mmCIF file of all heavy atoms in Angstrom:
data_model
loop_
_atom_site.group_PDB
_atom_site.id
_atom_site.type_symbol
_atom_site.label_atom_id
_atom_site.label_comp_id
_atom_site.label_asym_id
_atom_site.label_seq_id
_atom_site.Cartn_x
_atom_site.Cartn_y
_atom_site.Cartn_z
ATOM 1 N N HIS U 100 -17.345 13.020 -5.603
ATOM 2 C CA HIS U 100 -17.000 12.516 -6.939
ATOM 3 C C HIS U 100 -15.992 13.443 -7.630
ATOM 4 O O HIS U 100 -15.032 12.976 -8.248
ATOM 5 C CB HIS U 100 -18.253 12.351 -7.799
ATOM 6 C CG HIS U 100 -17.964 11.772 -9.138
ATOM 7 N ND1 HIS U 100 -17.692 10.444 -9.324
ATOM 8 C CD2 HIS U 100 -17.871 12.347 -10.374
ATOM 9 C CE1 HIS U 100 -17.448 10.217 -10.605
ATOM 10 N NE2 HIS U 100 -17.557 11.360 -11.258
ATOM 11 N N ILE U 101 -16.200 14.740 -7.509
ATOM 12 C CA ILE U 101 -15.277 15.700 -8.116
ATOM 13 C C ILE U 101 -13.895 15.569 -7.478
ATOM 14 O O ILE U 101 -12.879 15.535 -8.171
ATOM 15 C CB ILE U 101 -15.824 17.147 -7.993
ATOM 16 C CG1 ILE U 101 -17.044 17.307 -8.899
ATOM 17 C CG2 ILE U 101 -14.753 18.176 -8.322
ATOM 18 C CD1 ILE U 101 -17.815 18.593 -8.676
ATOM 19 N N GLN U 102 -13.855 15.458 -6.153
ATOM 20 C CA GLN U 102 -12.586 15.304 -5.447
ATOM 21 C C GLN U 102 -11.901 13.986 -5.835
ATOM 22 O O GLN U 102 -10.692 13.956 -6.065
ATOM 23 C CB GLN U 102 -12.821 15.346 -3.937
ATOM 24 C CG GLN U 102 -11.549 15.284 -3.128
ATOM 25 C CD GLN U 102 -11.828 15.360 -1.635
ATOM 26 O OE1 GLN U 102 -12.971 15.292 -1.182
ATOM 27 N NE2 GLN U 102 -10.778 15.510 -0.854
ATOM 28 N N ALA U 103 -12.679 12.917 -5.946
ATOM 29 C CA ALA U 103 -12.111 11.619 -6.325
ATOM 30 C C ALA U 103 -11.591 11.650 -7.758
ATOM 31 O O ALA U 103 -10.541 11.078 -8.059
ATOM 32 C CB ALA U 103 -13.156 10.522 -6.150
ATOM 33 N N GLN U 104 -12.296 12.339 -8.657
ATOM 34 C CA GLN U 104 -11.850 12.428 -10.047
ATOM 35 C C GLN U 104 -10.555 13.230 -10.157
ATOM 36 O O GLN U 104 -9.666 12.875 -10.928
ATOM 37 C CB GLN U 104 -12.932 13.039 -10.935
ATOM 38 C CG GLN U 104 -12.600 12.981 -12.408
ATOM 39 C CD GLN U 104 -12.353 11.551 -12.904
ATOM 40 O OE1 GLN U 104 -13.162 10.665 -12.694
ATOM 41 N NE2 GLN U 104 -11.227 11.333 -13.560
ATOM 42 N N GLU U 105 -10.431 14.280 -9.349
ATOM 43 C CA GLU U 105 -9.181 15.036 -9.322
ATOM 44 C C GLU U 105 -8.038 14.150 -8.812
ATOM 45 O O GLU U 105 -6.927 14.201 -9.328
ATOM 46 C CB GLU U 105 -9.322 16.274 -8.432
ATOM 47 C CG GLU U 105 -10.193 17.352 -9.039
ATOM 48 C CD GLU U 105 -10.476 18.507 -8.085
ATOM 49 O OE1 GLU U 105 -10.077 18.437 -6.889
ATOM 50 O OE2 GLU U 105 -11.106 19.477 -8.526
ATOM 51 N N CYS U 106 -8.336 13.318 -7.834
ATOM 52 C CA CYS U 106 -7.354 12.372 -7.303
ATOM 53 C C CYS U 106 -6.909 11.400 -8.397
ATOM 54 O O CYS U 106 -5.716 11.135 -8.553
ATOM 55 C CB CYS U 106 -7.962 11.606 -6.119
ATOM 56 S SG CYS U 106 -6.970 10.224 -5.513
ATOM 57 N N VAL U 107 -7.861 10.898 -9.180
ATOM 58 C CA VAL U 107 -7.552 9.977 -10.283
ATOM 59 C C VAL U 107 -6.641 10.665 -11.292
ATOM 60 O O VAL U 107 -5.642 10.092 -11.730
ATOM 61 C CB VAL U 107 -8.846 9.470 -10.967
ATOM 62 C CG1 VAL U 107 -8.534 8.775 -12.279
ATOM 63 C CG2 VAL U 107 -9.620 8.545 -10.044
ATOM 64 N N ASP U 108 -6.979 11.892 -11.647
ATOM 65 C CA ASP U 108 -6.183 12.630 -12.631
ATOM 66 C C ASP U 108 -4.737 12.800 -12.156
ATOM 67 O O ASP U 108 -3.794 12.588 -12.918
ATOM 68 C CB ASP U 108 -6.814 13.993 -12.921
ATOM 69 C CG ASP U 108 -8.179 13.877 -13.599
ATOM 70 O OD1 ASP U 108 -8.498 12.800 -14.137
ATOM 71 O OD2 ASP U 108 -8.927 14.880 -13.568
ATOM 72 N N VAL U 109 -4.569 13.178 -10.897
ATOM 73 C CA VAL U 109 -3.232 13.387 -10.344
ATOM 74 C C VAL U 109 -2.473 12.059 -10.246
ATOM 75 O O VAL U 109 -1.303 11.964 -10.627
ATOM 76 C CB VAL U 109 -3.310 14.081 -8.960
ATOM 77 C CG1 VAL U 109 -1.970 14.070 -8.246
ATOM 78 C CG2 VAL U 109 -3.826 15.498 -9.111
ATOM 79 N N ALA U 110 -3.143 11.014 -9.752
ATOM 80 C CA ALA U 110 -2.488 9.706 -9.600
ATOM 81 C C ALA U 110 -2.061 9.146 -10.949
ATOM 82 O O ALA U 110 -0.962 8.609 -11.092
ATOM 83 C CB ALA U 110 -3.434 8.739 -8.889
ATOM 84 N N LEU U 111 -2.925 9.278 -11.935
ATOM 85 C CA LEU U 111 -2.630 8.759 -13.275
ATOM 86 C C LEU U 111 -1.487 9.537 -13.918
ATOM 87 O O LEU U 111 -0.552 8.945 -14.476
ATOM 88 C CB LEU U 111 -3.898 8.832 -14.133
ATOM 89 C CG LEU U 111 -3.950 8.016 -15.395
ATOM 90 C CD1 LEU U 111 -3.594 6.558 -15.147
ATOM 91 C CD2 LEU U 111 -5.340 8.105 -16.002
ATOM 92 N N ALA U 112 -1.515 10.855 -13.823
ATOM 93 C CA ALA U 112 -0.437 11.676 -14.387
ATOM 94 C C ALA U 112 0.887 11.366 -13.700
ATOM 95 O O ALA U 112 1.933 11.275 -14.359
ATOM 96 C CB ALA U 112 -0.776 13.162 -14.246
ATOM 97 N N ASP U 113 0.844 11.161 -12.384
ATOM 98 C CA ASP U 113 2.054 10.835 -11.639
ATOM 99 C C ASP U 113 2.627 9.488 -12.079
ATOM 100 O O ASP U 113 3.829 9.357 -12.293
ATOM 101 C CB ASP U 113 1.758 10.828 -10.140
ATOM 102 C CG ASP U 113 2.987 10.527 -9.315
ATOM 103 O OD1 ASP U 113 3.996 11.252 -9.469
ATOM 104 O OD2 ASP U 113 2.953 9.567 -8.524
ATOM 105 N N ALA U 114 1.763 8.492 -12.237
ATOM 106 C CA ALA U 114 2.217 7.162 -12.663
ATOM 107 C C ALA U 114 2.823 7.219 -14.066
ATOM 108 O O ALA U 114 3.884 6.639 -14.320
ATOM 109 C CB ALA U 114 1.059 6.173 -12.621
ATOM 110 N N VAL U 115 2.174 7.927 -14.965
ATOM 111 C CA VAL U 115 2.678 8.044 -16.340
ATOM 112 C C VAL U 115 4.037 8.740 -16.337
ATOM 113 O O VAL U 115 4.970 8.324 -17.035
ATOM 114 C CB VAL U 115 1.661 8.793 -17.237
ATOM 115 C CG1 VAL U 115 2.277 9.177 -18.563
ATOM 116 C CG2 VAL U 115 0.419 7.935 -17.448
ATOM 117 N N GLN U 116 4.175 9.772 -15.523
ATOM 118 C CA GLN U 116 5.442 10.502 -15.453
ATOM 119 C C GLN U 116 6.547 9.619 -14.874
ATOM 120 O O GLN U 116 7.672 9.624 -15.364
ATOM 121 C CB GLN U 116 5.280 11.760 -14.605
ATOM 122 C CG GLN U 116 6.549 12.584 -14.530
ATOM 123 C CD GLN U 116 6.370 13.819 -13.658
ATOM 124 O OE1 GLN U 116 5.363 13.973 -12.965
ATOM 125 N NE2 GLN U 116 7.345 14.698 -13.689
ATOM 126 N N ARG U 117 6.235 8.829 -13.832
ATOM 127 C CA ARG U 117 7.259 7.981 -13.229
ATOM 128 C C ARG U 117 7.697 6.859 -14.162
ATOM 129 O O ARG U 117 8.865 6.505 -14.197
ATOM 130 C CB ARG U 117 6.758 7.393 -11.911
ATOM 131 C CG ARG U 117 6.878 8.393 -10.772
ATOM 132 C CD ARG U 117 6.531 7.802 -9.423
ATOM 133 N NE ARG U 117 5.094 7.617 -9.339
ATOM 134 C CZ ARG U 117 4.504 6.462 -9.045
ATOM 135 N NH1 ARG U 117 5.199 5.406 -8.804
ATOM 136 N NH2 ARG U 117 3.194 6.378 -8.990
ATOM 137 N N ILE U 118 6.773 6.304 -14.938
ATOM 138 C CA ILE U 118 7.128 5.244 -15.887
ATOM 139 C C ILE U 118 7.964 5.830 -17.020
ATOM 140 O O ILE U 118 8.888 5.199 -17.511
ATOM 141 C CB ILE U 118 5.872 4.525 -16.404
ATOM 142 C CG1 ILE U 118 5.211 3.758 -15.245
ATOM 143 C CG2 ILE U 118 6.213 3.576 -17.542
ATOM 144 C CD1 ILE U 118 3.863 3.177 -15.570
ATOM 145 N N ASN U 119 7.620 7.032 -17.448
ATOM 146 C CA ASN U 119 8.417 7.798 -18.406
ATOM 147 C C ASN U 119 8.674 7.049 -19.723
ATOM 148 O O ASN U 119 9.824 6.850 -20.116
ATOM 149 C CB ASN U 119 9.733 8.236 -17.746
ATOM 150 C CG ASN U 119 10.439 9.307 -18.553
ATOM 151 O OD1 ASN U 119 9.823 10.018 -19.324
ATOM 152 N ND2 ASN U 119 11.739 9.405 -18.366
ATOM 153 N N ARG U 120 7.600 6.665 -20.385
ATOM 154 C CA ARG U 120 7.688 6.056 -21.715
ATOM 155 C C ARG U 120 6.934 6.934 -22.687
ATOM 156 O O ARG U 120 5.768 7.279 -22.459
ATOM 157 C CB ARG U 120 7.060 4.650 -21.719
ATOM 158 C CG ARG U 120 7.738 3.660 -20.810
ATOM 159 C CD ARG U 120 9.121 3.354 -21.363
ATOM 160 N NE ARG U 120 9.807 2.426 -20.501
ATOM 161 C CZ ARG U 120 10.387 1.333 -20.932
ATOM 162 N NH1 ARG U 120 10.403 1.043 -22.209
ATOM 163 N NH2 ARG U 120 10.987 0.540 -20.086
ATOM 164 N N PRO U 121 7.557 7.328 -23.796
ATOM 165 C CA PRO U 121 6.915 8.257 -24.737
ATOM 166 C C PRO U 121 5.550 7.785 -25.232
ATOM 167 O O PRO U 121 4.611 8.578 -25.306
ATOM 168 C CB PRO U 121 7.914 8.357 -25.893
ATOM 169 C CG PRO U 121 9.229 8.012 -25.286
ATOM 170 C CD PRO U 121 8.935 7.022 -24.201
ATOM 171 N N MET U 122 5.421 6.496 -25.557
ATOM 172 C CA MET U 122 4.141 6.023 -26.084
ATOM 173 C C MET U 122 3.055 6.065 -24.996
ATOM 174 O O MET U 122 1.903 6.388 -25.280
ATOM 175 C CB MET U 122 4.260 4.605 -26.663
ATOM 176 C CG MET U 122 3.055 4.251 -27.527
ATOM 177 S SD MET U 122 3.134 2.638 -28.335
ATOM 178 C CE MET U 122 4.579 2.766 -29.339
ATOM 179 N N LEU U 123 3.430 5.780 -23.736
ATOM 180 C CA LEU U 123 2.465 5.854 -22.631
ATOM 181 C C LEU U 123 2.035 7.299 -22.411
ATOM 182 O O LEU U 123 0.849 7.577 -22.206
ATOM 183 C CB LEU U 123 3.069 5.271 -21.355
ATOM 184 C CG LEU U 123 2.148 5.227 -20.141
ATOM 185 C CD1 LEU U 123 0.937 4.342 -20.405
ATOM 186 C CD2 LEU U 123 2.908 4.737 -18.920
ATOM 187 N N THR U 124 2.983 8.221 -22.491
ATOM 188 C CA THR U 124 2.659 9.643 -22.358
ATOM 189 C C THR U 124 1.700 10.073 -23.466
ATOM 190 O O THR U 124 0.737 10.805 -23.221
ATOM 191 C CB THR U 124 3.944 10.496 -22.398
ATOM 192 O OG1 THR U 124 4.795 10.069 -21.334
ATOM 193 C CG2 THR U 124 3.637 11.976 -22.241
#
Side-chain angles (χ1 to χ4, degrees):
H100 183 76
I101 290 169
Q102 184 179 9
Q104 188 58 52
E105 288 173 355
C106 171
V107 167
D108 295 343
V109 169
L111 197 52
D113 181 56
V115 168
Q116 182 181 10
R117 280 186 287 125
I118 293 171
N119 194 23
R120 298 292 179 130
M122 195 177 300
L123 183 62
T124 301

